[in-house]
Amino acid sequence: MRCEVCTDLSPDLDCDLLAIGVLEGDSLPDPLLALFGPHLEPSYAAESFTGRAETTFEVHTLGRIPARRLVLVGLGKGSDDEVRGAAGRVGLTARKAGAARVGLDLGAAGNAPESVAAAVEGFACGNYRFDGYKDTAKRKRACDLLVIEGESDVAERALVVAEAQAWVRDLVNEPADVLHPESLAERAAALAGPHLSVDVWDEVRLAAEGMAGTLAVGRASAHPPRLIHLHYAPESPRRRVALVGKGLTFDAGGLCLKTAEGMDTMRCDMAGAATVLGALKAASTLNLPVEIHGIVGAAENMPGAEAYKPGDILRMRNGRTVEVHNTDAEGRLVLADCLCFASTLGVESCLDLATLTGACVVALGFRYTGLFTEDDDLAAEIESAAAVAGDGLWRLPLAEHFRKLLDAEWADLSHTGPRWGGASSAAAFLSAFVDGMRWAHLDIAGPAFLEKADRYYVKGATGAPMRTLLRWIEASG
Ligand code: BES
Ligand code: MN
Ligand code: ZN
């Protein structure tokens, strides 16, 4: 999609769909009233369209403007998040209509740089579909030109972010037969550029590096595990960070096999990895002045003759021994290796992203990422980045109490705790593998992949919270 910015978007714009934002309780902009006034006001009053957020009203154009469709979209009070939601609705409507050229006029609510960014990002999210495997006759055309009021550099940045987010969603939606650890590594390798290097460790290197968790989890799969290390190194970076992603290209549960229903969407279990890759793709395109290590642990968790077993004891990279219980708690073993590795890179801060626990979905549902850290400053940074990015995020406890729940009989620690508080004990497990850096864990099991459409996201992968990562990286200085 291209984006064209202008200072004053006229109703005469030549496009397939023209969308006009209306603040709650406001009347329509004058040029529109002049064109449609007598006919329009009673009809939308009858439909009780008042500009409330998350509502739209389609107007028959009667051939009075070049656009074939005219849609009024409610902006509520005009907050950035309401703007993002309204633009998202327009994106959804445009895709349903197959509109190739779209004009989006947000009036006064859309003037600030943050709201232009929110509008472009929201529109692109709404316009996204994963339909490459459908009959071409059944596919709806994506928008290829969005015309909007605002500043071009803001729109340019937002487009890069939007494109990266769509790239993440494609990766997560891709079937696990296509996207396994090796092909995930290939997709990552394709991101390499002038300041971005990509290094892939195969199973031989993984063994040499002591990555016991990743090897155990990936052992029963026909597709061997990989560690993917991206390094974005701009000139004179302001600081150095690491992003770690869980890359389970499929999670069958291992010997502790999931139910058919439980594994139906488990191709989404590499969403943390995809989100990290997408953030690096965008950060390097935007030349952000922060050095970033991206570390992805990629494996497929399968049952089989070679599978790791309950009762196994793993000696991890940092020397700690771990007692395996439920082989479906595989993500934390892979992440433990990645966090050990990240701890050797001399970064100041490290965030990990993982579709880690069903318990987090029980606690927070599908709109909120669970945030776990004992560092209040880091928590505040991430919370404010999420607020700007429009990603739901909520802090949950991580304290000594949860580490005690992992006491083991025969090894240094158990890899699972009791069922209750499962999202926090998973985070506590990870904390045992972090050394010498600020660290936060983001459990994205809910928001990464939706069971049903929500806001500007259709069912399936969302790419959330990639925008939060970028805002956090950009805010650092
Ligand atoms: N990948 C799952 C978590 C998950 C659940 C992601 C639902 C997305 C949606 C993870 O590997 C898992 O199976 N976790 C177990 C841990 C348990 C065995 C301690 C869980 O949450 O049930
Ligand atoms: Mn699992
Ligand atoms: Zn998993």
Side-chain angles (χ1 to χ4, degrees):
M1 184 176 83
R2 286 186 310 119
C3 188
E4 223 171 78
V5 291
C6 58
T7 45
D8 193 16
L9 205 154
S10 128
D12 286 330
L13 182 75
D14 177 22
C15 59
D16 301 305
L17 188 150
L18 178 63
I20 313 272
V22 180
L23 287 165
E24 183 152 18
D26 266 14
S27 56
L28 281 187
D30 290 342
L32 268 195
L33 276 181
L35 280 164
F36 295 100
H39 145 79
L40 191 51
E41 288 216 278
S43 71
Y44 79 77
E47 296 277 331
S48 59
F49 176 81
T50 60
R52 199 158 43 80
E54 303 196 17
T55 61
T56 55
F57 179 71
E58 178 150 5
V59 179
H60 297 284
T61 64
L62 307 173
R64 291 181 194 172
I65 55 172
R68 279 187 293 113
R69 285 164 186 269
L70 174 60
V71 175
L72 305 182
V73 58
L75 294 172
K77 294 186 170 55
S79 73
D80 291 342
D81 216 43
E82 287 169 318
V83 165
R84 188 181 283 107
R89 288 240 154 197
V90 176
L92 291 167
T93 307
R95 187 64 181 241
K96 236 181 244 154
R101 295 165 65 90
V102 177
L104 179 56
D105 182 357
L106 297 171
N111 283 347
E114 291 298 4
S115 39
V116 173
V120 173
E121 290 166 4
F123 178 86
C125 278
N127 207 240
Y128 174 87
R129 294 291 181 283
F130 183 71
D131 59 4
Y133 289 98
K134 280 197 188 259
D135 190 326
T136 43
K138 293 204 177 101
R139 288 186 218 162
K140 284 291 164 62
R141 193 167 172 176
C143 174
D144 48 46
L145 177 68
L146 175 68
V147 184
I148 191 170
E149 290 182 5
E151 292 162 31
S152 63
D153 53 333
V154 175
E156 217 39 64
R157 177 207 172 274
L159 264 187
V160 170
V161 174
E163 223 167 76
Q165 188 167 354
W167 182 88
V168 172
R169 296 172 80 177
D170 276 345
L171 214 58
V172 176
N173 280 323
E174 194 70 71
D177 228 26
V178 177
L179 201 84
H180 41 72
E182 300 122 297
S183 55
L184 178 61
E186 280 163 22
R187 303 265 185 129
L191 298 177
H195 294 281
L196 181 64
S197 64
V198 183
D199 190 18
V200 177
W201 296 0
D202 64 9
E203 59 275 30
V204 177
R205 178 80 188 270
L206 285 167
E209 296 278 352
M211 309 299 255
T214 311
L215 286 164
V217 168
R219 226 160 61 190
S221 169
H223 300 290
R226 294 287 181 262
L227 180 130
I228 308 164
H229 178 202
L230 294 88
H231 185 200
Y232 168 60
E235 273 146 43
S236 45
R238 287 211 292 258
R239 60 167 193 164
R240 313 170 71 189
V241 303
L243 303 174
V244 166
K246 171 177 173 182
L248 264 289
T249 56
F250 191 71
D251 179 13
L255 287 177
C256 306
L257 197 62
K258 286 183 185 293
T259 60
E261 199 198 351
M263 74 173 86
D264 193 53
T265 59
M266 277 305 132
R267 69 179 191 281
C268 82
D269 215 17
M270 38 57 74
T275 309
V276 166
L277 296 176
L280 271 131
K281 175 178 154 71
S284 60
T285 307
L286 295 169
N287 291 311
L288 298 187
V290 174
E291 184 174 336
I292 312 169
H293 288 277
I295 302 152
V296 163
E300 190 183 63
N301 188 23
M302 296 288 275
E306 304 209 57
Y308 81 125
K309 306 167 192 73
D312 282 357
I313 295 177
L314 306 174
R315 185 173 295 280
M316 305 296 280
R317 184 182 162 102
N318 67 354
R320 298 263 210 140
T321 55
V322 169
E323 214 170 271
V324 171
H325 292 284
N326 190 325
T327 61
D328 197 9
E330 82 299 335
R332 61 196 75 184
L333 295 171
V334 172
L335 286 172
D337 287 343
C338 296
L339 290 169
C340 284
F341 177 52
S343 297
T344 67
L345 297 172
V347 297
E348 291 134 38
S349 318
C350 172
L351 309 191
D352 80 72
L353 281 87
T355 46
L356 200 62
T357 66
C360 199
V361 192
V362 172
L364 297 178
F366 286 91
R367 268 199 197 184
Y368 290 83
T369 290
L371 170 65
F372 302 82
T373 180
E374 286 178 290
D375 186 321
D376 293 342
D377 295 332
L378 184 57
E381 286 174 26
I382 298 168
E383 281 168 340
S384 68
V388 175
D391 289 318
L393 178 131
W394 201 261
R395 192 173 176 189
L396 291 171
L398 164 59
E400 194 48 35
H401 163 65
F402 294 103
R403 264 184 296 270
K404 292 213 187 77
L405 300 177
L406 300 173
D407 283 346
E409 203 63 48
W410 299 286
D412 294 334
L413 74 166
S414 162
H415 96 302
T416 54
R419 179 166 171 233
W420 312 115
S424 288
S425 56
F429 179 83
L430 298 180
S431 73
F433 301 90
V434 175
D435 187 27
M437 56 191 183
R438 304 199 303 161
W439 164 73
H441 159 59
L442 281 71
D443 194 330
I444 61 171
F449 198 91
L450 302 182
E451 278 176 4
K452 63 183 186 40
D454 183 41
R455 291 193 295 181
Y456 35 77
Y457 294 122
V458 290
K459 182 175 175 164
T462 63
M466 191 206 73
R467 297 194 305 261
T468 297
L469 294 184
L470 286 167
R471 289 289 179 185
W472 175 72
I473 291 164
E474 283 178 314
S476 67

